[in-house]
Amino acid sequence: MILAIESSCDDTSIAVMEIQNKKLLFHKKISQETEHSLYGGVVPELASRLHAEALPKILEQTKEFFPKLKAVAVTNAPGLSVTLQEGVMMAKALSISLNIPLIGVNHLIGHIYSLFIEKEEIKPLTVLLVSGGHTKILNFNGIDSVCEIATTMDDSFGESFDKAAKMLGLGYPGGPVIENLAKKGSDIVPLPLPLKNSPEIAFSYSGLKNAVRLVIEGKKYKSEDIAASFQTKAIEHLIFMCKRAIKKYHPSNFAIVGGASANLKLREEFEKLARKFGFKLFYPEMKYTSDNAAMIARAAVEMYKRNMFTDYKDIKIIPRVRFEKCESLKKREEKN
Ligand code: KG4
Ligand code: ZN
């Protein structure tokens, strides 16, 4: 069995997974949304303190599995350094005291594995990752083969919902609040479609965010109409860029992962795209869309099989990560 710890942002989670058949034996998560909602976003120091309180409480419940653990996995990148630190410290202590190897898991790859909890991998797979910290199109061909097709130039998709909600005086996280409010409104507010005239495959949400700010200041439109129009444009931008990527890479399997993959309007629009282009569309189960340790455990199972261990003395906390661009990976492979 592998025990996995996730503390990269505002969810404290621990999971235990069987290595052989990928069965999830234990999974608990404590969210800090209520605590952060007062501030309209995650406060790193507060998040870190709450992880320090919650981690031992959850770990206590996993003691029965300790004798059977073959490895301990932990998210060590990317995320808030002060919160990653909490999980990594606990994982190091477990690695030393139980004398088992340590596996450092990339949280973004973890999100891809949220698709495969208690399931086999699907590959090759093109993945749209939409979370609070990231908006990326990735190509996945196994745990050690992930490259980047596109990323955001500024804010992420989820973050833009959080910021729009904050400007409208709604709570945190903004995603579900905006999605619900949008149901009552109409798409009547003129907002710009980001990067419409750029030839690149890339994302940008800061212009749209500023446009929303100006509309709110103008006091001409109702909140529900602003929410509906903002959501429409934010999704339209995703579709616009994913269409470009689909035309270029012709994926037969496409998935949407990350906290914002819970958005039903987004799913609806991508289902239309899937019918049009004839690819198979995948999402994680709703309970695994947001941050959780089950996805970290599932990724760690593949890393365990490939001996992808990190010595507890060398494990690093990496707040920001970069993936190799798919274009340069292709060139490198052709050269070899
Ligand atoms: O993956 P996640 O739980 O944490 C990160 O790794 O960032 O994603 C959280 C993000 C937040 O920005 C939240 O507002 C957004 O996902 N989100 C949504 C929805 N549910 C959560 N965004 C749009 N629509 C939703 N229904
Ligand atoms: Zn995440």
Side-chain angles (χ1 to χ4, degrees), residues 79-97:
L80 300 168
S81 54
V82 289
T83 65
L84 288 167
Q85 181 82 35
E86 296 298 330
V88 168
M89 279 195 305
M90 175 169 272
K92 272 189 188 182
L94 284 169
S95 166
I96 298 168
S97 58

Side-chain angles (χ1 to χ4, degrees), residues 201-212:
I201 310 178
F203 299 103
S204 168
Y205 281 97
S206 68
L208 183 58
K209 173 188 70 187
N210 285 333
V212 168

Side-chain angles (χ1 to χ4, degrees), residues 1 135 296:
M1 293 169 196
T135 303
I296 303 303

Side-chain angles (χ1 to χ4, degrees), residues 18 38 59 69 93 114 218 240 290 296:
E18 236 170 58
L38 282 170
L59 188 71
L69 294 181
S114 68
F240 185 83
S290 60
I296 303 303

Side-chain angles (χ1 to χ4, degrees), residues 8 107 111 131 291 295:
S8 67
H107 178 82
H111 271 299
S131 67
D291 293 349
M295 66 187 197

Side-chain angles (χ1 to χ4, degrees), residues 162-186:
D162 295 334
K163 288 183 176 168
K166 193 175 177 184
M167 290 187 285
L168 285 166
L170 309 165
Y172 170 85
V177 196
I178 295 272
E179 187 181 4
N180 275 330
L181 187 61
K183 287 180 197 150
K184 295 183 207 136
S186 313

Side-chain angles (χ1 to χ4, degrees), residues 6 8-12 29-44 46-47 50-51 80 83 107 111 131-134 156-180 259-260 290-291:
E6 159 64 40
S8 67
C9 191
D10 59 346
D11 294 295
T12 316
K29 165 164 150 171
I30 300 179
S31 276
Q32 309 173 354
E33 281 169 4
T34 331
E35 288 86 347
H36 295 294
S37 67
L38 282 170
Y39 307 96
V42 179
V43 181
L46 173 62
L50 293 170
H51 284 304
L80 300 168
T83 65
H107 178 82
H111 271 299
S131 67
H134 300 87
S156 77
F157 180 79
E159 186 182 6
S160 74
F161 277 69
D162 295 334
K163 288 183 176 168
K166 193 175 177 184
M167 290 187 285
L168 285 166
L170 309 165
Y172 170 85
V177 196
I178 295 272
E179 187 181 4
N180 275 330
S290 60
D291 293 349

